[in-house]
Amino acid sequence: MADLDSAMMLKDLVGWNQTPDDLRRLIEYEPDGCFIAELDGVPVGTVSTTSYGTALAWIGMMLVHPDYRRRGIANSLMLRSLDYLRDRGVSCIKLDATPLGQPLYEQLGFQPEWTFQRWERSGERVASFEPAGQLSPDLIQMDRSAFGADRADWLARVASACRVFTAGSTFGMLRPGHFATYLGPVVSYQRNEVESLIVEMLETVDGRMLWDIPQSNGAAEEIAARLGFRPVRQLLRMWCGESCPAGRPEVQFALLDPATG
Ligand SMILES: CC(C)(COP(=O)(O)OP(=O)(O)OC[C@H]1O[C@@H](n2cnc3c(N)ncnc32)[C@H](O)[C@@H]1OP(=O)(O)O)[C@@H](O)C(=O)NCCC(=O)NCCS
């Protein structure tokens, strides 16, 4: 799995939180749609695609080795992945942009959808834990309505590495990370259930944590602040294509992952 080792080496250079399992899952889900750029045999950049049928696909893991930037490598990787997705008949493509990536995506025709912030709780260490809990058809339906597209297959694969929590019309997941546990997704159709479920989730792990929250979801931001998280950076969800399904950020109290939506 040389590609996995190269992708891990590159993502470590930019300090992202993915584990080898996260990258392996992306490659196994979309084996022909994850790309590594090489220059003179040296791996210098990555990009992943994750398709949810033909209605929607996500582009993620867009990064280039710091020594090889501003040579058009990211642009080539983006063109390659856009071609791949369009050949598959995908009608809408989304991604979550950092400020460094945003100009590149704008030049390729991506438009802003909404912003979200990464919130962080500091900690000396990262928790390790075993997966637990079930992803029932009800939870998949809740996620579909919140996200705007059916990503049941992908969600089930992610959930197999996570702790899954439920309470009435609310569910949440905790996922292991390289340097921090990731909280998300959390979807809730009953505001009075969500804070106690998140408290219950946090009681099961200690250490450093990350949590991505749509900026239009003020209730989620208030909960995060009360629970000792603070915002550390802003990202922009962007889209291009036709008939783009709209998610419902007001019921997404935590996003699944900027690499896949
Ligand atoms: C964002 C990122 C992927 C861009 O990678 P890159 O390979 O440098 O991107 P490109 O070379 O295709 O384009 C970057 C700029 O270089 C310019 N450029 C491209 N080829 C060039 C060349 N031969 N000479 C000079 N400039 C060039 C592009 O026009 C673009 O300019 P602009 O920013 O003024 O519009 C990279 O900065 C990165 O990995 N950042 C950290 C991780 C990150 O934030 N990723 C984005 C996640 S959404």
Side-chain angles (χ1 to χ4, degrees), residues 75-143:
N75 191 56
S76 302
L77 284 166
M78 281 300 295
L79 292 174
R80 184 77 186 79
S81 36
L82 290 170
D83 278 351
Y84 167 78
L85 291 172
R86 286 173 183 146
D87 283 351
R88 292 197 49 168
V90 172
S91 53
C92 173
I93 301 165
K94 293 193 186 185
L95 53 79
D96 291 332
T98 63
L100 271 176
Q102 187 181 337
L104 173 76
Y105 307 137
E106 281 168 351
Q107 284 164 27
L108 291 166
F110 281 82
Q111 303 191 43
E113 186 176 25
W114 38 262
T115 55
F116 62 95
Q117 280 186 302
R118 167 148 294 183
W119 291 64
E120 183 172 335
R121 185 183 79 177
S122 54
E124 291 296 309
R125 48 183 287 275
V126 52
S128 63
F129 55 86
E130 293 300 315
Q134 294 285 331
L135 200 61
S136 67
D138 282 355
L139 304 195
I140 288 170
Q141 182 50 43
M142 275 194 254
D143 181 78

Coordinates of all heavy atoms in Angstrom, one line a residue, residues 75-143:
N75 N -3.9 22.4 -8.9 CA -4.8 22.6 -10.1 C -4.9 21.4 -10.9 O -6.0 20.9 -11.3 CB -4.3 23.8 -10.9 CG -5.3 24.3 -11.9 OD1 -6.4 24.6 -11.6 ND2 -4.9 24.2 -13.2
S76 N -3.8 20.7 -11.2 CA -3.8 19.4 -12.0 C -4.6 18.4 -11.2 O -5.4 17.6 -11.9 CB -2.4 18.9 -12.2 OG -1.6 19.8 -12.9
L77 N -4.4 18.2 -9.9 CA -5.1 17.2 -9.2 C -6.6 17.5 -9.2 O -7.4 16.6 -9.3 CB -4.6 17.2 -7.7 CG -3.2 16.5 -7.5 CD1 -2.7 16.8 -6.1 CD2 -3.4 15.0 -7.7
M78 N -7.0 18.8 -9.1 CA -8.4 19.2 -9.1 C -9.0 18.8 -10.5 O -10.1 18.2 -10.5 CB -8.6 20.7 -8.8 CG -8.5 21.1 -7.4 SD -9.7 20.3 -6.3 CE -11.2 21.0 -7.0
L79 N -8.3 19.2 -11.5 CA -8.8 18.9 -12.9 C -9.0 17.4 -13.1 O -10.0 16.9 -13.6 CB -7.9 19.5 -14.0 CG -7.9 21.0 -14.0 CD1 -6.8 21.5 -15.0 CD2 -9.2 21.6 -14.3
R80 N -8.1 16.6 -12.6 CA -8.1 15.1 -12.7 C -9.4 14.6 -11.9 O -10.1 13.8 -12.4 CB -6.8 14.5 -12.1 CG -6.7 13.0 -12.2 CD -6.3 12.7 -13.6 NE -6.3 11.2 -13.8 CZ -7.4 10.5 -14.0 NH1 -8.6 11.1 -14.1 NH2 -7.3 9.2 -14.2
S81 N -9.6 15.1 -10.7 CA -10.7 14.6 -9.9 C -12.1 15.1 -10.5 O -13.0 14.4 -10.5 CB -10.6 14.9 -8.4 OG -10.0 16.1 -8.2
L82 N -12.1 16.3 -11.0 CA -13.3 16.8 -11.6 C -13.7 16.0 -12.9 O -14.8 15.6 -13.1 CB -13.2 18.3 -12.0 CG -13.1 19.3 -10.8 CD1 -12.8 20.7 -11.2 CD2 -14.5 19.3 -10.0
D83 N -12.7 15.7 -13.7 CA -12.9 14.8 -14.9 C -13.4 13.5 -14.4 O -14.4 12.9 -15.0 CB -11.6 14.6 -15.6 CG -11.2 15.7 -16.5 OD1 -12.1 16.6 -16.7 OD2 -10.1 15.7 -17.1
Y84 N -12.8 12.9 -13.4 CA -13.2 11.6 -12.9 C -14.7 11.6 -12.5 O -15.5 10.7 -12.9 CB -12.3 11.1 -11.7 CG -12.9 10.0 -11.0 CD1 -12.7 8.7 -11.5 CD2 -13.5 10.2 -9.8 CE1 -13.2 7.6 -10.8 CE2 -14.0 9.1 -9.1 CZ -13.9 7.8 -9.6 OH -14.4 6.7 -8.9
L85 N -15.1 12.6 -11.7 CA -16.5 12.7 -11.2 C -17.4 12.9 -12.3 O -18.5 12.4 -12.4 CB -16.6 13.7 -10.1 CG -15.8 13.4 -8.8 CD1 -15.8 14.6 -7.8 CD2 -16.4 12.1 -8.1
R86 N -17.1 13.8 -13.3 CA -18.0 14.1 -14.4 C -18.2 12.9 -15.3 O -19.3 12.6 -15.8 CB -17.5 15.4 -15.1 CG -17.8 16.6 -14.3 CD -17.2 17.9 -14.9 NE -17.5 19.0 -14.0 CZ -16.7 20.0 -13.8 NH1 -15.5 20.1 -14.5 NH2 -17.0 21.0 -13.0
D87 N -17.1 12.1 -15.5 CA -17.2 10.9 -16.3 C -18.1 9.9 -15.6 O -18.8 9.1 -16.3 CB -15.8 10.2 -16.4 CG -14.9 10.9 -17.4 OD1 -15.5 11.8 -18.2 OD2 -13.7 10.6 -17.5
R88 N -18.2 10.0 -14.3 CA -19.2 9.1 -13.6 C -20.6 9.6 -13.6 O -21.5 9.0 -13.0 CB -18.7 8.9 -12.1 CG -17.4 8.2 -12.0 CD -17.2 7.7 -10.6 NE -18.4 7.0 -10.1 CZ -18.5 6.3 -9.0 NH1 -17.5 6.2 -8.3 NH2 -19.7 5.8 -8.6
G89 N -20.8 10.8 -14.1 CA -22.1 11.4 -14.2 C -22.6 12.1 -13.0 O -23.8 12.3 -12.8
V90 N -21.6 12.5 -12.1 CA -22.0 13.2 -10.9 C -22.5 14.6 -11.2 O -21.8 15.3 -12.0 CB -20.8 13.2 -9.9 CG1 -21.1 14.1 -8.7 CG2 -20.5 11.8 -9.4
S91 N -23.6 15.0 -10.7 CA -24.1 16.3 -11.1 C -23.7 17.5 -10.2 O -23.7 18.6 -10.7 CB -25.7 16.3 -11.2 OG -26.2 15.8 -10.0
C92 N -23.4 17.2 -9.0 CA -23.0 18.3 -8.0 C -21.8 17.8 -7.3 O -21.7 16.7 -6.8 CB -24.1 18.6 -7.1 SG -23.6 19.8 -5.8
I93 N -20.8 18.7 -7.2 CA -19.6 18.4 -6.4 C -19.4 19.5 -5.4 O -19.5 20.7 -5.6 CB -18.4 18.4 -7.4 CG1 -18.6 17.4 -8.5 CG2 -17.1 18.2 -6.6 CD1 -17.7 17.5 -9.7
K94 N -19.1 19.1 -4.2 CA -18.8 20.0 -3.1 C -17.5 19.7 -2.4 O -16.9 18.7 -2.6 CB -19.9 19.9 -2.0 CG -21.3 20.3 -2.4 CD -22.3 20.5 -1.2 CE -23.7 20.8 -1.7 NZ -24.6 21.0 -0.6
L95 N -17.0 20.7 -1.7 CA -15.8 20.6 -0.9 C -15.8 21.6 0.2 O -16.6 22.5 0.2 CB -14.6 20.7 -1.8 CG -14.4 22.0 -2.7 CD1 -14.0 23.2 -1.9 CD2 -13.5 21.7 -3.8
D96 N -14.9 21.4 1.2 CA -14.7 22.3 2.3 C -13.4 23.0 2.2 O -12.3 22.3 2.3 CB -14.9 21.6 3.6 CG -16.3 21.1 3.9 OD1 -17.3 21.8 3.3 OD2 -16.5 20.1 4.5
A97 N -13.4 24.3 2.0 CA -12.1 25.0 1.6 C -11.5 25.7 2.8 O -12.1 26.3 3.5 CB -12.4 26.0 0.5
T98 N -10.2 25.5 2.9 CA -9.4 26.3 3.7 C -9.1 27.6 3.0 O -9.3 27.7 1.8 CB -8.0 25.7 4.0 OG1 -7.3 25.6 2.8 CG2 -8.2 24.3 4.7
P99 N -8.7 28.7 3.7 CA -8.4 30.0 3.1 C -7.3 29.8 2.0 O -7.3 30.4 0.9 CB -7.9 30.9 4.2 CG -8.5 30.3 5.4 CD -8.6 28.8 5.2
L100 N -6.4 28.8 2.1 CA -5.3 28.6 1.1 C -5.9 28.0 -0.1 O -5.5 28.2 -1.3 CB -4.3 27.6 1.7 CG -3.1 28.3 2.4 CD1 -2.2 27.1 2.9 CD2 -2.3 29.2 1.4
G101 N -6.9 27.1 0.0 CA -7.5 26.4 -1.1 C -8.6 27.2 -1.8 O -8.8 27.0 -3.0
Q102 N -9.2 28.1 -1.1 CA -10.4 28.8 -1.7 C -10.2 29.5 -3.1 O -11.0 29.3 -4.0 CB -10.9 29.9 -0.7 CG -12.2 30.5 -1.1 CD -12.7 31.5 -0.1 OE1 -12.3 31.5 1.1 NE2 -13.5 32.5 -0.5
P103 N -9.0 30.3 -3.3 CA -8.8 30.9 -4.6 C -8.7 29.9 -5.7 O -9.3 30.1 -6.8 CB -7.5 31.7 -4.4 CG -7.2 31.7 -3.0 CD -7.9 30.6 -2.3
L104 N -8.1 28.7 -5.4 CA -8.0 27.7 -6.4 C -9.3 27.2 -6.9 O -9.7 27.0 -8.0 CB -7.1 26.6 -5.8 CG -7.0 25.3 -6.5 CD1 -6.0 25.4 -7.7 CD2 -6.5 24.2 -5.6
Y105 N -10.2 27.0 -5.9 CA -11.5 26.4 -6.2 C -12.4 27.5 -6.9 O -13.2 27.1 -7.8 CB -12.2 25.9 -4.9 CG -11.4 25.0 -4.1 CD1 -11.3 25.1 -2.7 CD2 -10.7 24.0 -4.7 CE1 -10.5 24.2 -2.0 CE2 -9.9 23.1 -4.0 CZ -9.8 23.2 -2.6 OH -9.0 22.4 -1.9
E106 N -12.3 28.7 -6.5 CA -13.0 29.8 -7.2 C -12.7 29.8 -8.7 O -13.6 29.9 -9.5 CB -12.8 31.1 -6.5 CG -13.5 31.4 -5.2 CD -13.0 32.6 -4.4 OE1 -12.0 33.1 -4.8 OE2 -13.7 32.9 -3.4
Q107 N -11.4 29.7 -9.0 CA -11.0 29.7 -10.4 C -11.5 28.6 -11.1 O -11.7 28.6 -12.4 CB -9.4 29.7 -10.5 CG -8.8 31.1 -10.1 CD -7.3 31.0 -9.8 OE1 -6.6 30.1 -10.3 NE2 -6.8 31.9 -9.0
L108 N -11.9 27.5 -10.4 CA -12.4 26.3 -11.1 C -14.0 26.3 -11.1 O -14.6 25.3 -11.5 CB -11.9 25.0 -10.4 CG -10.4 24.7 -10.6 CD1 -9.9 23.7 -9.7 CD2 -10.1 24.3 -12.1
G109 N -14.5 27.4 -10.7 CA -16.0 27.6 -10.8 C -16.8 27.2 -9.5 O -18.0 27.2 -9.5
F110 N -16.1 26.9 -8.4 CA -16.8 26.6 -7.2 C -17.3 27.9 -6.5 O -16.7 29.0 -6.6 CB -15.9 25.9 -6.2 CG -15.7 24.5 -6.5 CD1 -14.8 24.0 -7.4 CD2 -16.5 23.5 -5.8 CE1 -14.6 22.7 -7.7 CE2 -16.3 22.2 -6.1 CZ -15.4 21.7 -7.0
Q111 N -18.5 27.8 -5.9 CA -19.2 29.0 -5.3 C -19.4 28.7 -3.8 O -19.6 27.5 -3.4 CB -20.5 29.2 -6.0 CG -20.4 29.4 -7.5 CD -21.6 29.9 -8.1 OE1 -22.3 30.8 -7.5 NE2 -22.0 29.4 -9.2
P112 N -19.5 29.8 -3.0 CA -19.6 29.6 -1.6 C -21.0 29.0 -1.3 O -22.0 29.4 -1.9 CB -19.5 31.0 -1.0 CG -19.1 31.9 -2.1 CD -19.3 31.2 -3.4
E113 N -21.1 28.1 -0.3 CA -22.4 27.7 0.2 C -22.6 28.2 1.6 O -23.4 29.1 1.8 CB -22.5 26.2 0.2 CG -24.0 25.7 0.6 CD -24.2 24.2 0.5 OE1 -23.2 23.4 0.6 OE2 -25.3 23.8 0.4
W114 N -21.8 27.7 2.6 CA -21.9 28.4 3.9 C -20.6 28.1 4.7 O -19.8 27.2 4.3 CB -23.1 27.9 4.8 CG -23.6 26.5 4.7 CD1 -24.6 26.1 3.9 CD2 -23.1 25.4 5.4 NE1 -24.8 24.7 4.1 CE2 -23.9 24.3 5.1 CE3 -22.1 25.2 6.4 CZ2 -23.7 23.0 5.6 CZ3 -21.9 23.9 6.9 CH2 -22.7 22.8 6.5
T115 N -20.4 28.9 5.7 CA -19.1 28.7 6.5 C -19.3 27.9 7.7 O -20.4 27.8 8.2 CB -18.6 30.1 6.9 OG1 -19.6 30.7 7.7 CG2 -18.2 31.0 5.8
F116 N -18.3 27.3 8.1 CA -18.3 26.6 9.4 C -17.0 26.8 10.1 O -16.0 27.3 9.5 CB -18.6 25.1 9.3 CG -17.6 24.3 8.5 CD1 -16.6 23.6 9.2 CD2 -17.7 24.2 7.2 CE1 -15.7 22.8 8.5 CE2 -16.8 23.4 6.4 CZ -15.8 22.7 7.1
Q117 N -17.0 26.6 11.4 CA -15.8 26.8 12.2 C -15.3 25.5 12.8 O -16.1 24.7 13.2 CB -16.0 27.9 13.3 CG -15.9 29.3 12.8 CD -16.0 30.3 13.9 OE1 -16.9 30.3 14.7 NE2 -15.0 31.1 14.0
R118 N -14.0 25.4 12.9 CA -13.5 24.2 13.6 C -13.3 24.7 15.1 O -12.7 25.7 15.4 CB -12.1 23.8 13.1 CG -11.3 22.9 14.0 CD -10.5 21.9 13.3 NE -11.3 21.0 12.5 CZ -10.8 20.0 11.8 NH1 -9.5 19.8 11.7 NH2 -11.6 19.2 11.1
W119 N -13.9 23.9 16.0 CA -13.7 24.2 17.4 C -12.8 23.1 18.0 O -12.8 22.0 17.6 CB -15.1 24.2 18.1 CG -16.0 25.3 17.7 CD1 -16.5 25.6 16.5 CD2 -16.5 26.4 18.6 NE1 -17.3 26.7 16.5 CE2 -17.3 27.2 17.8 CE3 -16.4 26.7 20.0 CZ2 -18.0 28.3 18.3 CZ3 -17.0 27.8 20.5 CH2 -17.8 28.6 19.7
E120 N -12.1 23.5 19.1 CA -11.1 22.6 19.6 C -11.2 22.6 21.1 O -11.4 23.7 21.7 CB -9.7 23.0 19.1 CG -8.7 22.0 19.6 CD -7.3 22.2 19.0 OE1 -7.2 22.8 17.9 OE2 -6.3 21.8 19.6
R121 N -11.0 21.5 21.7 CA -10.8 21.4 23.2 C -9.4 20.8 23.4 O -9.1 19.8 22.8 CB -11.8 20.4 23.8 CG -11.7 20.4 25.4 CD -12.7 19.4 26.0 NE -12.2 18.0 25.8 CZ -12.8 17.0 26.3 NH1 -14.0 17.1 26.9 NH2 -12.3 15.8 26.2
S122 N -8.6 21.6 24.1 CA -7.2 21.2 24.3 C -7.1 20.0 25.2 O -8.0 19.7 26.0 CB -6.3 22.3 24.7 OG -6.9 22.8 25.9
G123 N -6.0 19.3 25.1 CA -5.8 18.1 26.0 C -4.3 17.7 25.8 O -3.8 17.9 24.7
E124 N -3.8 17.0 26.8 CA -2.4 16.6 26.7 C -2.3 15.4 25.8 O -1.2 15.2 25.2 CB -2.0 16.1 28.1 CG -1.9 17.2 29.2 CD -0.8 18.2 28.8 OE1 0.3 17.7 28.5 OE2 -1.1 19.4 28.8
R125 N -3.3 14.6 25.6 CA -3.2 13.4 24.9 C -4.4 13.2 24.0 O -5.4 13.9 24.1 CB -3.0 12.2 25.8 CG -4.1 12.2 26.9 CD -3.9 11.1 27.9 NE -4.2 9.8 27.3 CZ -5.5 9.3 27.3 NH1 -6.5 10.0 27.8 NH2 -5.7 8.2 26.8
V126 N -4.4 12.1 23.2 CA -5.5 11.8 22.4 C -6.1 10.5 22.9 O -5.3 9.6 23.2 CB -5.2 11.7 20.9 CG1 -4.0 10.8 20.6 CG2 -6.4 11.3 20.1
A127 N -7.4 10.4 23.1 CA -8.1 9.2 23.7 C -8.0 8.1 22.7 O -8.0 8.3 21.4 CB -9.5 9.6 24.0
S128 N -7.8 6.9 23.2 CA -8.0 5.7 22.3 C -9.2 4.9 22.8 O -9.4 4.8 24.0 CB -6.7 4.8 22.3 OG -6.5 4.3 23.6
F129 N -10.0 4.4 21.8 CA -11.2 3.7 22.2 C -11.7 2.8 21.2 O -11.3 2.9 20.0 CB -12.3 4.7 22.6 CG -12.7 5.7 21.5 CD1 -13.6 5.4 20.5 CD2 -12.1 7.0 21.5 CE1 -13.9 6.3 19.5 CE2 -12.4 7.9 20.4 CZ -13.3 7.5 19.5
E130 N -12.5 1.8 21.6 CA -13.0 0.8 20.7 C -14.3 1.3 20.1 O -15.1 2.0 20.8 CB -13.3 -0.5 21.4 CG -12.0 -1.2 21.9 CD -11.1 -1.6 20.8 OE1 -11.6 -2.1 19.8 OE2 -9.9 -1.3 20.9
P131 N -14.6 0.9 18.8 CA -15.9 1.3 18.3 C -17.1 0.7 19.1 O -16.9 -0.4 19.7 CB -15.9 0.7 16.9 CG -14.5 0.2 16.6 CD -13.8 0.1 17.9
A132 N -18.2 1.3 19.1 CA -19.4 0.8 19.8 C -20.6 1.5 19.3 O -20.6 2.6 18.8 CB -19.3 1.1 21.3
G133 N -21.8 0.8 19.5 CA -23.1 1.4 19.0 C -23.4 1.0 17.6 O -22.6 0.5 16.8
Q134 N -24.7 1.2 17.3 CA -25.2 0.8 16.0 C -25.7 2.0 15.2 O -26.3 2.9 15.7 CB -26.4 -0.2 16.2 CG -26.0 -1.5 16.9 CD -25.4 -2.4 15.9 OE1 -25.6 -2.3 14.7 NE2 -24.5 -3.3 16.4
L135 N -25.6 1.9 13.9 CA -26.2 2.9 13.0 C -27.4 2.2 12.4 O -27.4 1.4 11.5 CB -25.2 3.1 11.9 CG -25.3 4.4 11.1 CD1 -25.2 5.6 12.0 CD2 -24.3 4.5 10.0
S136 N -28.6 2.6 13.0 CA -29.9 2.0 12.6 C -30.4 2.7 11.3 O -30.0 3.8 11.0 CB -30.9 2.1 13.7 OG -31.2 3.5 13.8
P137 N -31.4 2.1 10.6 CA -32.0 2.8 9.5 C -32.6 4.2 9.8 O -32.5 5.1 9.0 CB -33.1 1.8 9.0 CG -32.6 0.5 9.5 CD -31.9 0.7 10.8
D138 N -33.1 4.3 11.1 CA -33.6 5.6 11.5 C -32.5 6.7 11.5 O -32.7 7.8 11.1 CB -34.2 5.5 12.9 CG -35.5 4.9 12.9 OD1 -36.1 4.6 11.8 OD2 -36.1 4.7 14.0
L139 N -31.3 6.3 12.0 CA -30.2 7.3 12.0 C -29.8 7.7 10.6 O -29.5 8.8 10.3 CB -29.0 6.7 12.8 CG -29.2 6.3 14.3 CD1 -27.9 6.1 15.0 CD2 -30.1 7.2 15.0
I140 N -29.8 6.7 9.8 CA -29.4 6.9 8.4 C -30.4 7.9 7.7 O -30.0 8.8 7.0 CB -29.2 5.6 7.6 CG1 -28.0 4.9 8.1 CG2 -29.2 5.8 6.1 CD1 -27.8 3.5 7.6
Q141 N -31.6 7.7 8.0 CA -32.7 8.6 7.5 C -32.5 10.0 8.0 O -32.6 11.0 7.3 CB -34.0 8.0 7.8 CG -35.2 8.8 7.2 CD -35.0 9.2 5.7 OE1 -34.6 8.3 4.9 NE2 -35.3 10.4 5.3
M142 N -32.2 10.1 9.3 CA -32.0 11.4 10.0 C -30.8 12.1 9.3 O -30.8 13.3 9.0 CB -31.6 11.3 11.4 CG -32.8 11.2 12.4 SD -32.2 11.4 14.1 CE -32.4 9.8 14.7
D143 N -29.7 11.4 9.0 CA -28.5 11.9 8.4 C -28.9 12.4 7.0 O -28.4 13.5 6.5 CB -27.4 10.9 8.4 CG -26.2 11.5 7.7 OD1 -25.5 12.3 8.4 OD2 -25.9 11.3 6.5

